[in-house]
Amino acid sequence: MIADLLPAPVAVAETYGDEAVPLYPEEQALMADAVETRRREFTTVRACARRAMADLGHAPHPVPSSPRGAPRWPPGLTGSMTHCSGYRAAALARTTDLAAVGIDAEPHAPLPGDVLDAVRLPSERARLGYLTTRHPAVHWDQLLFSAKESVYKAWFSLTGEPLDFADADIEFHLAPGTAPRGGFRAAALVRGPLVGGRRLTHFAGRWAVGRGLVTTAVTVPHT
């Protein structure tokens, strides 16, 4: 799923079930009081991260979390992880190849109304209404949520600061063909970081729907 949305420099490992791998002590400490479901998610997505590291020729390394829950990657790597019911994935790239990566997966189902109200901008409301009329088989509200999550992860990787849902205005487009997939552009409505000597003003991403999931991915090049 997500592997199809990312360019060649990115190593992606994904799974549709849980995997048992030993955790490093700093990872194990984060799960000391976790319920079993959370422990399985945490462990499996780190198994994915270890496989992605190996694909890049990088030795296995612990992936602890920041206080906000963001993964802390070893020096020289940037990446993102996601997990939802029935799916886990990690995407990694060398920092010499990309400045940031953000991925997200969500169940392909309607987004609860209160969540949608917190996520959607007035400009996005109009665009999603048009897309829903033209392509009702896609849950565009859930896709919007997922795209903003991917943008948030890439933003946080670059800045170490949160990005509110209202701080990115997303516009989707459909790719030719029968499969529901395409791209999106997320305009940053707040001052972005400098990347490669230039101020970041927007993010470019891709999306797809399949296997009961909506998946989104964002990459930030150095130039």
Side-chain angles (χ1 to χ4, degrees):
M1 290 290 294
I2 284 177
D4 296 334
L5 305 180
L6 289 160
V10 183
V12 178
E14 53 191 351
T15 181
Y16 296 89
D18 285 322
E19 302 176 16
V21 296
L23 295 176
Y24 289 93
E26 51 266 62
E27 296 171 333
Q28 186 67 42
L30 295 171
M31 292 291 101
D33 300 319
V35 299
E36 184 58 27
T37 300
R38 171 61 182 145
R39 178 181 290 274
R40 289 199 303 267
E41 291 174 346
F42 183 96
T43 301
T44 302
V45 81
R46 277 156 179 80
C48 291
R50 308 229 210 291
R51 292 204 302 274
M53 288 180 197
D55 288 344
L56 293 174
H58 198 287
H61 198 279
V63 186
S65 301
S66 74
R68 292 186 178 273
R72 289 176 169 167
W73 300 110
L77 296 181
T78 187
S80 181
M81 300 190 295
T82 187
H83 52 77
C84 68
S85 178
Y87 183 75
R88 290 83 163 92
L92 289 176
R94 298 180 183 89
T95 52
T96 51
D97 292 327
L98 290 170
V101 179
I103 64 170
D104 188 70
E106 304 290 341
H108 187 221
L111 195 67
D114 57 338
V115 179
L116 179 59
D117 290 340
V119 169
R120 183 180 55 186
L121 296 170
S123 54
E124 294 167 335
R125 179 195 298 269
R127 291 196 291 266
L128 262 61
Y130 172 80
L131 288 167
T132 299
T133 299
R134 296 290 300 274
H135 306 282
V138 175
H139 292 294
W140 295 99
D141 50 355
Q142 189 71 262
L143 185 59
L144 178 69
F145 178 85
S146 180
K148 292 205 174 190
E149 284 289 300
S150 286
V151 169
Y152 176 97
K153 292 174 184 179
W155 176 277
F156 192 89
S157 177
L158 293 168
T159 67
E161 298 293 335
L163 184 73
D164 289 338
F165 286 123
D167 292 336
D169 187 355
I170 293 183
E171 185 171 2
F172 294 104
H173 69 263
L174 276 160
T178 57
R181 63 176 53 242
F184 64 90
R185 185 182 189 276
L189 304 181
V190 293
R191 185 176 174 85
L194 288 172
V195 178
R198 302 180 67 178
R199 186 71 59 186
L200 184 67
T201 61
H202 72 280
F203 295 83
R206 298 175 68 191
W207 64 269
V209 175
R211 297 189 66 158
L213 301 169
V214 297
T215 53
T216 57
V218 166
T219 55
V220 181
H222 287 290
T223 57

